[in-house]
Amino acid sequence: MLLLALDTATPAVTVALHDGARLLAHFDHADARRHGELLLPAVDHVLRTAGRETSQLTDLVVGVGPGPYTGLRVGLATAEALGSALDVPVRGLCTLDAMAYASGLGAAPDESPFIVATDARRKEVYWARYADPVTRLSEPAVARPEELAERVAGVPALGAGARMYPEVFTGVRPDLPEHQSAAALAALAVHRIGVGSDFLPPRPLYLRRPDARVPSNYKVVTPR
């Protein structure tokens, strides 16, 4: 196995290469405005670092969000293009699931359940509740932090969304991941392949309409 994982659903541009037994190389850089500029060079970087070629890839996994429209589609379009060009299967994973899994790779939350929350912009967060690093208890959702106050108060929480609103996510753990990591995404994918778990299709999980919209009222201009 040679699995390439990538995700652009959070401000992080993150790519990792995994051989099924260990992480071979990874790249992580947080810059929400440069997903399109950084992603393919990051793919090239991890392959060169590991001394591997694209022709050796056997699997591709991509984070499907939830995440902002523009950044998320960069990773999905890239994964689909690579999969098509290389005739390699492309599998999707929820970005929040991989962040939850990352908590178990280091210092796991002291209690269960715990919350993963990322920045959804518009003063909202994408979030989900987990029983442990591999068991999600709720579907990913988008909400204003104040709407969640009673449900998340005191519950261990990780992610940039939780850090942005510590008055709501009072159990936020600053020692746990802030952004997505493709290293965790790759490790979770290897785990799921090993136990025969299902994957998501490589399609975006937006949860709401995009920020950019076609104007509904055009100014009528009549010839003189």
Side-chain angles (χ1 to χ4, degrees), residues 135-147:
T135 308
R136 178 156 34 87
L137 296 174
S138 65
E139 290 300 312
V142 61
R144 290 186 174 275
E146 58 269 24
E147 298 170 348

Side-chain angles (χ1 to χ4, degrees), residues 58-138:
T58 61
D59 298 89
L60 280 163
V61 63
V62 60
V64 300
Y69 179 78
T70 302
L72 181 55
R73 68 180 180 176
V74 170
L76 287 161
T78 300
E80 289 273 50
L82 285 171
S84 177
L86 300 171
D87 194 24
V88 169
V90 181
R91 299 179 172 94
L93 280 176
C94 174
T95 296
L96 301 180
D97 288 357
M99 293 181 67
Y101 193 72
S103 73
L105 298 178
D110 295 330
E111 305 173 36
S112 292
F114 65 96
I115 303 293
V116 178
T118 60
D119 181 17
R121 303 177 186 173
R122 301 184 191 174
K123 298 182 180 180
E124 294 179 328
V125 296
Y126 296 119
W127 75 288
R129 182 185 294 262
Y130 292 81
D132 57 59
V134 295
T135 308
R136 178 156 34 87
L137 296 174
S138 65

Side-chain angles (χ1 to χ4, degrees), residues 199-220:
F199 286 80
L200 297 172
R203 298 290 180 268
L205 184 60
Y206 290 132
L207 300 187
R208 69 182 184 202
R209 296 178 63 84
D211 294 329
R213 300 182 184 179
V214 176
S216 57
N217 296 314
Y218 290 93
K219 182 178 179 180
V220 177

Side-chain angles (χ1 to χ4, degrees), residues 10-207:
T10 71
V13 176
T14 179
V15 182
L17 195 66
H18 203 291
D19 68 359
R22 63 188 178 93
L23 181 69
L24 301 179
H26 66 95
F27 174 94
D28 302 281
H29 183 82
D31 190 333
R33 298 181 180 274
R34 299 179 64 199
H35 289 113
E37 177 184 348
L38 294 174
L39 184 55
L40 282 176
V43 171
D44 181 64
H45 170 78
V46 298
L47 287 167
R48 286 189 292 104
T49 299
R52 304 298 177 91
E53 303 288 339
T54 55
S55 60
Q56 296 176 277
L57 293 175
T58 61
D59 298 89
L60 280 163
V61 63
V62 60
V64 300
Y69 179 78
T70 302
L72 181 55
R73 68 180 180 176
V74 170
L76 287 161
T78 300
E80 289 273 50
L82 285 171
S84 177
L86 300 171
D87 194 24
V88 169
V90 181
R91 299 179 172 94
L93 280 176
C94 174
T95 296
L96 301 180
D97 288 357
M99 293 181 67
Y101 193 72
S103 73
L105 298 178
D110 295 330
E111 305 173 36
S112 292
F114 65 96
I115 303 293
V116 178
T118 60
D119 181 17
R121 303 177 186 173
R122 301 184 191 174
K123 298 182 180 180
E124 294 179 328
V125 296
Y126 296 119
W127 75 288
R129 182 185 294 262
Y130 292 81
D132 57 59
V134 295
T135 308
R136 178 156 34 87
L137 296 174
S138 65
E139 290 300 312
V142 61
R144 290 186 174 275
E146 58 269 24
E147 298 170 348
L148 304 174
E150 293 185 3
R151 302 168 68 180
V152 304
V155 179
L158 63 99
R163 295 189 188 199
M164 291 174 66
Y165 304 99
E167 70 283 2
V168 173
F169 296 91
T170 56
V172 64
R173 290 278 302 274
D175 57 311
L176 294 177
E178 179 178 5
H179 298 304
Q180 171 67 301
S181 166
L185 188 72
L188 177 58
V190 170
H191 168 76
R192 290 200 173 186
I193 291 171
V195 299
S197 294
D198 293 333
F199 286 80
L200 297 172
R203 298 290 180 268
L205 184 60
Y206 290 132
L207 300 187

